[in-house]
Amino acid sequence: MSIVAFAGFGGVRLEADVQGDPAAPAVLLVHGAGQTRAVWQAVARALVDAGRRVVSLDLRGHGGSERPADGRYAFDAFVGDLRAVLAQLDSRPVVVAASLGAWAATAALAGDAATLASGLVLADLPPEIDQAASRSVAERLRGQAGDWDLRVLESIELPTIPARLAQAAAAIRVPVLYVRGGSSMLETPAQASAFAARMADCEYAEVDGARLLVTADSTDAFNALLLDFLERRLPCAAPEFRQGSDARTLRDALGCFATGVTIVTAMTLDGTPIGLTANSFTSVSLDPPLLLVCIANSAGSAPALAVAERFAVNVLQIGQQPASNRFAGKGEDRFAATDWAPGENGAPVLAGSLSAFECTRHAVHGGGDHFILVGRVTRATFEPQRDPLLYFRGKYRRLHFA
């Protein structure tokens, strides 16, 4: 086991234990208010024994992490800390979080931030705030003050939490396991199951007899649920494709290669502009100047592109995601909603693109369910001040500068 430090929101120093094989799939453990990373010891051991790499984090103001002099313990500070830690890890972990940590993890992984994690396990997360129960918990925490900053209790904006959780839950796009203690006084089964239903891909489980802290009251039962979920939904063994097996696995493997996004355009013989979104694009040669794009045989524009004498490849920048969606869809007048003009060779060039390559047809080759269109570049323009629109594992991305 080693101790590592992370830079949290606002530069706050956060401390964590790391154990397990560095090459193994990672799990990030996040405790609740009034706890430290030590609360996860039994869970961490089980995860390491199951072949996982485990990062046990101390929240700000807890354990070995910094206690901000300005007392910055607003909810957004905890959310920002988690996003910062996830951005500093070298892989996308499964986040396992309890109570306050679970609140922060739900908010941190909503929407695009889910690209920072591969899965989410929530324990002891009350989606509603019962005033009497929260006062009881707060008094209990004050009475057993330990290695943490009591100012945390006064700083978190409890009345705003339920609405934020509900909004965030609907935007979670990773597999989720929601575990509730069967005897918890913090929420009812109806509240918990309704919250779980807000998430697109969530499994719900109750542990009989567990009360306030299911991870502590029923650690073995929690570990069994956790390990079963991980092995079913996010297994240690890498998925494998062999010829004749599920083509989706091959598609997912190919999706691990990050690409840019292009829109390939041309004019039909009657002067109608056509175009489609493609990310199978590469340079072929500098002398002569050749490039290629792969076009699906099933695409509506495929027949016209296969015979086009001239075409253009427009490489998209981050502000052109709507155009990418437009040219990937059907039934919309793509060019009516897009700023474009004919290039020197007559093919449509989209305004504001990162770069545009105007080409004459050099060759067309068959390639299974696609055909390979090779073009000879006659003119190229680019905008060096823009950043590219990227595509990785089925989602749009943007550059992250370390």
Side-chain angles (χ1 to χ4, degrees), residues 105-143:
T106 301
L109 296 186
D112 290 343
T115 59
L116 297 173
S118 58
L120 177 62
V121 178
L122 303 170
D124 308 316
L125 180 151
E128 304 288 340
I129 305 296
D130 181 283
Q131 297 299 326
S134 63
R135 283 194 298 269
S136 175
V137 171
E139 290 305 314
R140 175 179 172 181
L141 290 174
R142 288 189 183 92

Side-chain angles (χ1 to χ4, degrees), residues 228-251:
D228 173 70
F229 173 76
L230 293 177
E231 286 308 306
R232 284 187 296 103
R233 302 303 307 278
L234 300 150
C236 287
E240 180 182 90
F241 169 83
R242 290 184 180 274
Q243 186 172 342
S245 61
D246 180 17
R248 177 69 199 187
T249 305
L250 175 59
R251 183 176 178 178

Side-chain angles (χ1 to χ4, degrees), residues 106 119-123 125 168-180 191-206 229 232-233:
T106 301
L120 177 62
V121 178
L122 303 170
L125 180 151
I172 297 290
R173 295 292 181 267
V174 294
V176 182
L177 172 64
Y178 181 107
V179 183
R180 174 186 179 270
Q191 289 172 333
S193 59
F195 179 75
R198 288 180 173 272
M199 291 177 275
D201 184 9
C202 180
E203 299 181 18
Y204 175 75
E206 290 193 5
F229 173 76
R232 284 187 296 103
R233 302 303 307 278

